[in-house]
Amino acid sequence: MDLMYSSTRNADLKVTASQAVLKGLADDGGLFVPEHIPALDVSLKELSGMTYQETAYEVMKLFLTDYTQQELKECIRAAYDSKFDTEEIVPVVSVDGAYYLELFHGATIAFKDMALSILPHLMTTAARKNNVTNEIVILTATSGDTGKAALAGFADVKGTKIIVFYPKGGVSPIQEKQMVTQAGANTHVVGIHGNFDQAQTGVKQMFADKAFERELKEHGFQFSSANSINIGRLVPQIVYYVYAYARLLAKGEIKEGECINAAVPTGNFGNILAAYYAKKMGLPIAKLICASNENKVLYDFFQTGTYDKNREFVLTTSPSMDILISSNLERLIYRIAGNDAAKNAQLMKQLAEGGVYQITEDMRRELSDFYGNYVDEQECAQVIRSLYEKTGYVLDTHTAVAAGVYQKYQSDTGDQTKTVIASTASPFKFTRSVMKAAAPDFGEKNDFELADELSRIAHVKVPRAVEEIRTAKVLHNTVCEVSQMPETVKKFLKI
Ligand SMILES: *Cc1c(COP(=O)(O)O)cnc(C)c1O
């Protein structure tokens, strides 16, 4: 029996895993969720002897049950290869009493590569399995990292086009350069005059537009999503928590069955939700430490049970977490509502209409797996500086938010449980902010000179992803208003 997926807003809408991957978002605007979370069916001890690719298969086969063994193994093989600059794929590094799970060794040096290097393969396999002949148009809104990772993943993948919207002025110079230099005849990159939430809402509206869908179909196109709402992104992210645990076990850092905590720098709630799913699969995780920057809507939610996006949007030095609508939280809300789609739909309607909803006391009790907190800009910089001065290890700004919140968690609770911190980007992706925090006396330097300086002080080679864009030509220069997003898409598709 295949594990089926239903919409968080309509329990009657059921699809297979491959159909969910193809669609991205359910027709009713809900997110696809598995009808139950499968349990790991190999022991932790067995997992501790496995490679990343083998672990990926053991986890993903349980969720993506309508893919054959051969299809899934082929997707995994094609994704986790020499695009990563280390054979381990995700090294677990012990620094100053915590374990950093380095998720940034892929093509675009951020953790989005973990899922976006496999999603194109999962999607084209899904198209084949479901006899889809339309060309698949990936629409993506990005706060900076998803965009490049999705572009890199889908560039020149037959049967697909990809269109990325990013907030002009809301991403780092290196992030922007990475995107606008992307090669591949099927790639398009657009800056919008607006913030990430507006880009994401614009994309969601296009997905929900039935007339637009018909028009596309007449021209042989259909939309899909590479955003973290796609179950094909969520499932590959579960893998690295299982792998991290298995590595710690293999190295003798923990005993079999010993609980660990996971601290995750959070924006759209995809990465931490993957950790939650890993826990529900039976991985011994105690607390899920949800770290926010000054856009602390999640912290307030965990404190009060009220989700309220009506607040000032703050541009921070951890831009990939500058988000007020954490899309993937909907999957958690659905679950703590007792898998009640009607109840969840009601709350999401309140969010869409008034920007706020409140969960019940019963639901709040279900949140005890989580601890939420945040750090401000100054605290984030301080974390980078003090860890660098103490150990020489340089964190990126997002990871530093998690490290700072983990410190607060420890002093709040005294909990000494071993903790894995999801290290979501290379410091070379946010060089200026990182250097300003770690070693600010660098004088006048451009971002590439700064990368060389960072390389010198951190004793880490400048990653290939940065070297590549030093001299790359700008290939995309479209900028539009939020309201012009649909016509921009049509222009690219020539319809
Ligand atoms: C996307 C991103 C995050 C936030 O992850 P979510 O899954 O959206 O919560 C954190 N750090 C970096 C570097 C990212 O690119």
Side-chain angles (χ1 to χ4, degrees):
M1 266 287 282
D2 276 326
L3 177 61
M4 298 298 281
Y5 288 74
S6 63
S7 164
T8 49
R9 301 188 192 178
N10 176 0
D12 297 333
L13 205 118
K14 286 193 190 6
V15 297
T16 62
S18 66
Q19 287 164 343
V21 167
L22 268 179
K23 286 189 79 73
L25 199 64
D27 284 338
D28 57 7
L31 276 58
F32 288 115
V33 279
E35 286 193 301
H36 66 269
I37 295 179
L40 282 168
D41 63 0
V42 285
S43 70
L44 297 167
K45 187 141 195 328
E46 284 170 275
L47 285 164
S48 72
M50 290 186 192
T51 63
Y52 191 84
Q53 292 82 351
E54 288 163 348
T55 313
Y57 178 71
E58 291 303 328
V59 172
M60 292 176 65
K61 71 169 195 202
L62 300 171
F63 282 93
L64 308 180
T65 58
D66 72 325
Y67 287 72
T68 66
Q69 175 174 356
Q70 195 192 345
E71 284 170 341
L72 207 47
K73 287 196 167 163
E74 178 52 31
C75 289
I76 291 167
R77 190 198 58 72
Y80 304 113
D81 61 6
S82 61
K83 289 190 287 297
F84 287 78
D85 66 12
T86 161
E87 260 180 46
E88 291 175 274
I89 307 294
V90 286
V92 185
V93 183
S94 171
V95 186
D96 196 30
Y99 299 100
Y100 289 87
L101 178 61
E102 293 190 348
L103 301 170
F104 55 76
H105 289 273
T108 77
I109 58 176
F111 96 96
K112 304 292 195 294
D113 290 324
M114 296 314 302
L116 282 164
S117 42
I118 195 165
L119 182 68
H121 303 288
L122 294 175
M123 206 175 267
T124 48
T125 305
R128 209 165 50 234
K129 296 172 74 68
N130 291 280
N131 304 314
V132 170
T133 50
N134 286 336
E135 199 163 352
I136 294 167
V137 180
I138 303 293
L139 284 190
T140 292
T142 184
S143 56
D145 288 336
T146 297
K148 177 63 185 187
L151 287 162
F154 281 95
D156 293 322
V157 171
K158 277 237 289 281
T160 70
K161 288 193 191 306
I162 172 158
I163 305 173
V164 169
F165 295 93
Y166 72 95
K168 185 81 189 157
V171 302
S172 85
I174 293 216
Q175 286 179 313
E176 184 171 35
K177 185 93 192 271
Q178 278 188 309
M179 288 191 279
V180 298
T181 57
Q182 177 66 48
N186 66 337
T187 64
H188 301 280
V189 180
V190 187
I192 63 149
H193 291 132
N195 62 35
F196 169 70
D197 284 317
Q198 290 171 300
Q200 176 157 265
T201 303
V203 164
K204 279 189 178 172
Q205 277 166 359
M206 285 190 266
F207 278 124
D209 186 337
K210 293 287 163 204
F212 203 178
E213 186 180 329
R214 273 194 302 277
E215 200 179 342
L216 284 171
K217 205 167 166 192
E218 282 162 22
H219 292 87
F221 296 114
Q222 71 185 56
F223 281 147
S224 190
S225 166
N227 275 97
S228 61
I229 48 178
N230 193 315
I231 198 80
R233 282 220 15 216
L234 192 56
V235 171
Q237 291 179 178
I238 301 169
V239 173
Y240 48 72
Y241 290 104
V242 176
Y243 182 70
Y245 188 96
R247 292 316 303 151
L248 291 179
L249 184 58
K251 289 195 240 175
E253 301 282 341
I254 54 173
K255 289 196 274 301
E256 188 172 1
E258 180 178 341
C259 273
I260 61 168
N261 295 327
V264 185
T266 297
N268 230 345
F269 210 75
N271 199 359
I272 194 163
L273 185 75
Y276 175 76
Y277 276 25
K279 175 175 168 128
K280 297 294 159 190
M281 290 181 84
L283 194 71
I285 296 181
K287 279 285 175 196
L288 298 152
I289 300 168
C290 177
S292 299
N293 65 22
E294 288 180 17
N295 294 293
K296 58 180 182 54
V297 63
L298 287 166
Y299 165 68
D300 293 340
F301 171 68
F302 286 121
Q303 284 302 97
T304 63
T306 299
Y307 192 96
D308 186 356
K309 74 154 183 113
N310 300 314
R311 62 182 69 207
E312 194 194 341
F313 181 85
V314 189
L315 285 176
T316 73
T317 52
S318 44
S320 301
M321 298 159 68
D322 290 347
I323 288 174
L324 295 181
I325 304 175
S326 294
S327 298
N328 268 296
L329 185 67
E330 178 167 347
R331 289 190 165 109
L332 180 67
I333 297 295
Y334 169 81
R335 197 179 157 92
I336 63 174
N339 296 342
D340 184 336
K343 200 162 165 186
N344 173 65
Q346 184 63 31
L347 294 173
M348 293 307 132
K349 188 156 171 261
Q350 289 168 18
L351 181 64
E353 286 168 0
V356 55
Y357 62 83
Q358 187 168 10
I359 62 170
T360 63
E361 280 307 311
D362 281 349
M363 288 169 74
R364 274 190 79 181
R365 270 191 291 279
E366 298 283 317
L367 291 178
S368 60
D369 289 329
F370 291 88
Y371 167 90
N373 212 330
Y374 74 103
V375 296
D376 65 23
E377 288 292 277
Q378 211 185 339
E379 289 169 323
C380 173
Q382 187 53 40
V383 167
I384 295 174
R385 187 181 183 109
S386 58
L387 192 67
Y388 167 62
E389 285 179 348
K390 189 167 172 194
T391 67
Y393 189 67
V394 181
L395 299 177
D396 106 283
T397 44
H398 303 74
T399 310
V401 168
V405 166
Y406 173 53
Q407 285 172 13
K408 290 190 181 184
Y409 170 76
Q410 276 190 308
S411 59
D412 275 4
T413 63
D415 183 7
Q416 293 301 314
T417 303
K418 291 178 182 129
T419 297
V420 167
I421 297 176
S423 187
T424 51
S426 157
F428 287 91
K429 197 150 193 179
F430 302 93
T431 324
R432 189 163 297 270
S433 303
V434 167
M435 284 298 290
K436 272 188 186 159
D441 300 323
F442 51 74
E444 288 281 314
K445 283 200 165 63
N446 70 32
D447 280 47
F448 292 102
E449 291 164 344
L450 267 186
D452 293 331
E453 185 68 9
L454 175 56
S455 169
R456 198 181 58 75
I457 69 157
H459 306 287
V460 176
K461 232 173 84 193
V462 176
R464 193 167 56 196
V466 175
E467 291 295 359
E468 269 168 14
I469 56 167
R470 266 184 210 264
T471 52
K473 268 229 262 322
V474 172
L475 302 173
H476 306 270
N477 55 17
T478 306
V479 178
C480 79
E481 301 302 323
V482 176
S483 61
Q484 296 171 320
M485 288 168 64
E487 61 189 77
T488 307
V489 168
K490 285 188 196 179
K491 210 182 289 165
F492 288 143
L493 300 179
K494 303 192 176 68
I495 61 176

